[in-house]
Amino acid sequence: MEKTKSRKLNISFESDISLTPGRKLKEMESNEAAEKSGSESKGRIWEFIAIATIPIVQVFGNSMLVPVLPEMQRQLGISKFQSSLVISIFSLAAALFIPVIGYLSDQFGRKMIIIPALVVYGGAGVLAGFGAIWDSYGVIIAARAIQGMAAAGTAPIAMALVGDLYKGGTESKALGLIEASNGSGKVLSPIIGSLLVLIAWYASFFAFPAFCLISLLAVLFLIKEPKHEQKQELGKYIHKIGDIFSKKGSWLITCFFAGSLGLFILFGVLFYLSNILEDPPYNIDGVVKGLILAIPLLGMVITSYTTGSLIKKKGTLMRWLINIGLLLMTLALGATIFFFKNIYLFIGLLTVSSIGTGLLLPCLNTIITGAVQKSERGMITSLYNSLRFLGVAFGPPLFGWMMDRSDYLVFISVSVLSLITLGLVFFLIRPPRKVS
């Protein structure tokens, strides 16, 4: 019988199970959290983009038509005053309708208001375009009033939506983005309007639906709104709004006034600059004029976004930036009294003033949205935006009236207004160290 030589077979196993399961579990949780954080970050970027489209659409509603007005006067045989109503009726309708829309957004949800508003906005643009083809000034004005009502459901409600979606520093960043998008729209719209006039003087009206469609799709598919609270009875709702103003009215109204003044001055000085650029010795118009007007606005856009990213919910920092912003506006506008005839220095001073506005507005937005609960936020932000619209609506006409009397009157008036607002803000707006 043959002997069998035995051999030792070495077999080893590698296990995925750690001898220290606690550490392994922590590593797995850490990886999952990192993946989730990355996914949320990507989703948030797309949300930010969707939110940014809403104020841009609103701004295009007025600013894109400014280069169109002279040609509209010639084609329809209307006066300067009649053509200016194409701008003013939009802003006035929006200002009057915003509080109603704000209440409805608190009752039914933000997207339930923004989506129909964008549809009506685009449809009214088509109606205005056909009114232009039919040489019907009445149809154009009626369509512009409808567009203004629809505009009430865009950027003002987007501000309340941001307060619902985000907290802390993310909310401040998103509100800064809204102001930056608003400013970007102001930069781009005169240039786009000037280019569209080359196709047809009424082409801008038909461009509105395209911009609205982009924003509509972005809001529909990229923004997930939090679950809306139950509807409130109108009487209780009004009582709550009254309580807010009785407790916080002094500084809240000051915030409203400061925001309205910022846009009143911004649009007024741009109107002034636009007019003097077309007169001798400059004789600049069209796209080149649009690019020059973009310089101060670009300063505001960059500052707004940077401010929104930095302030987070730091109440003390916001108070400092609001006061610094108004101080810059006061000093820059005061200096224009002496240097408005030097065009290069004048544009530089207007840019400094616009940077001051860029410091001011995102801080005001954050303080106002943080002042109230979600269920009343739509009304409060709507009242604020209503006053902002009035500032935009009355800026150019009042600056035009002052220009007819004296250039010095223009800049003395706005400097004094800025100084008075700085005093009110310094004494009345004192947010807590951490804005809720």
Side-chain angles (χ1 to χ4, degrees):
M1 192 173 175
E2 205 174 280
K3 290 183 180 179
T4 305
K5 190 176 181 181
S6 65
R7 292 182 181 177
K8 192 174 183 180
L9 185 62
N10 292 321
I11 301 174
S12 63
F13 295 92
E14 289 185 5
S15 175
D16 286 334
I17 302 173
S18 173
L19 293 176
T20 53
R23 187 175 70 181
K24 187 69 178 178
L25 183 61
K26 285 180 181 178
E27 288 176 3
M28 291 171 66
E29 288 175 347
S30 177
N31 291 336
E32 286 176 6
E35 288 176 11
K36 187 178 179 182
S37 176
S39 174
E40 286 179 354
S41 179
K42 289 177 184 177
R44 187 169 288 167
I45 289 169
W46 284 109
E47 274 186 350
F48 278 10
I49 291 170
I51 289 167
T53 64
I54 303 170
I56 288 176
V57 166
Q58 177 197 285
V59 170
F60 278 6
N62 260 349
S63 302
M64 200 162 67
L65 292 178
V66 172
V68 177
L69 299 183
E71 188 62 25
M72 183 187 294
Q73 292 169 34
R74 288 190 287 270
Q75 294 291 335
L76 298 180
I78 58 178
S79 66
K80 283 184 180 181
F81 174 74
Q82 286 176 305
S83 71
S84 71
L85 286 179
V86 173
I87 301 293
S88 296
I89 198 72
F90 176 93
S91 296
L92 288 171
L96 294 172
F97 214 64
I98 279 173
V100 177
I101 292 291
Y103 167 71
L104 293 175
S105 80
D106 281 337
Q107 295 295 93
F108 301 105
R110 316 303 181 200
K111 284 179 69 173
M112 284 290 290
I113 298 299
I114 293 171
I115 290 168
L118 288 169
V119 172
V120 174
Y121 196 121
V126 174
L127 178 61
F130 279 111
I133 292 172
W134 300 330
D135 291 332
S136 174
Y137 174 74
V139 171
I140 294 173
I141 287 295
R144 290 291 290 162
I146 295 169
Q147 271 194 314
M149 292 177 190
T154 55
I157 308 306
M159 190 178 291
L161 177 62
V162 165
D164 298 345
L165 287 171
Y166 309 116
K167 302 299 175 191
T170 308
E171 180 187 349
S172 302
K173 188 174 183 179
L175 290 170
L177 177 66
I178 284 182
E179 285 301 339
S181 303
N182 198 308
S184 299
K186 292 181 179 73
V187 171
L188 294 173
S189 50
I191 300 169
I192 295 172
S194 299
L195 293 172
L196 288 171
V197 169
L198 301 176
I199 300 170
W201 74 267
Y202 48 79
S204 292
F205 292 126
F206 289 107
F208 288 135
F211 295 121
C212 289
L213 179 61
I214 293 168
S215 184
L216 177 64
L217 294 174
V219 172
L220 271 172
F221 297 110
L222 299 178
I223 297 176
K224 187 177 181 181
E225 185 179 6
K227 188 177 179 181
H228 192 68
E229 297 175 5
Q230 287 186 328
K231 299 176 188 177
Q232 303 178 69
E233 292 180 13
L234 181 59
K236 289 182 180 178
Y237 181 85
I238 292 172
H239 182 69
K240 282 185 178 180
I241 299 298
D243 281 345
I244 290 169
F245 278 100
S246 66
K247 293 173 183 175
K248 306 176 181 180
S250 60
W251 66 262
L252 203 54
I253 292 169
T254 305
C255 284
F256 288 4
F257 178 72
S260 179
L261 178 80
L263 290 177
F264 168 79
I265 291 174
L266 179 68
F267 271 81
V269 295
L270 289 175
F271 175 81
Y272 178 94
L273 180 59
S274 176
N275 276 273
I276 65 167
L277 286 175
E278 290 192 359
D279 295 336
Y282 310 112
N283 299 314
I284 299 170
D285 58 8
V287 176
V288 177
K289 186 179 80 172
L291 290 170
I292 294 172
L293 293 174
I295 296 171
L297 289 166
L298 193 59
M300 191 195 79
V301 169
I302 295 169
T303 309
S304 292
Y305 185 71
T306 306
T307 302
S309 300
L310 292 175
I311 57 176
K312 303 187 186 305
K313 287 286 186 174
K314 301 171 184 174
T316 305
L317 177 60
M318 281 188 267
R319 183 169 184 257
W320 273 101
L321 292 178
I322 288 171
N323 284 282
I324 291 169
L326 281 165
L327 182 61
L328 284 177
M329 290 170 63
T330 303
L331 294 175
L333 293 169
T336 56
I337 298 169
F338 308 99
F339 300 111
F340 68 87
K341 291 182 180 178
N342 183 327
I343 191 65
Y344 300 105
L345 192 54
F346 180 59
I347 292 171
L349 289 169
L350 293 187
T351 303
V352 173
S353 176
S354 296
I355 289 170
T357 307
L359 291 171
L360 173 71
L361 294 178
C363 297
L364 293 176
N365 296 348
T366 303
I367 292 171
I368 289 167
T369 54
V372 291
Q373 295 179 358
K374 177 181 172 182
S375 57
E376 293 87 38
R377 190 174 288 137
M379 174 60 80
I380 296 299
T381 59
S382 293
L383 289 170
Y384 171 53
N385 278 278
S386 181
L387 289 173
R388 283 171 53 127
F389 262 102
L390 289 174
V392 173
F394 290 113
L398 285 175
F399 269 71
W401 177 82
M402 288 188 288
M403 284 172 65
D404 289 339
R405 279 141 188 83
S406 169
D407 290 321
Y408 291 102
L409 176 63
V410 172
F411 297 105
I412 291 171
S413 298
V414 292
S415 302
V416 170
L417 278 172
S418 298
L419 183 62
I420 291 170
T421 308
L422 175 60
L424 290 171
V425 164
F426 183 80
F427 289 107
L428 295 177
I429 299 180
R430 295 177 179 270
R433 293 176 66 88
K434 192 78 172 175
V435 177
S436 62

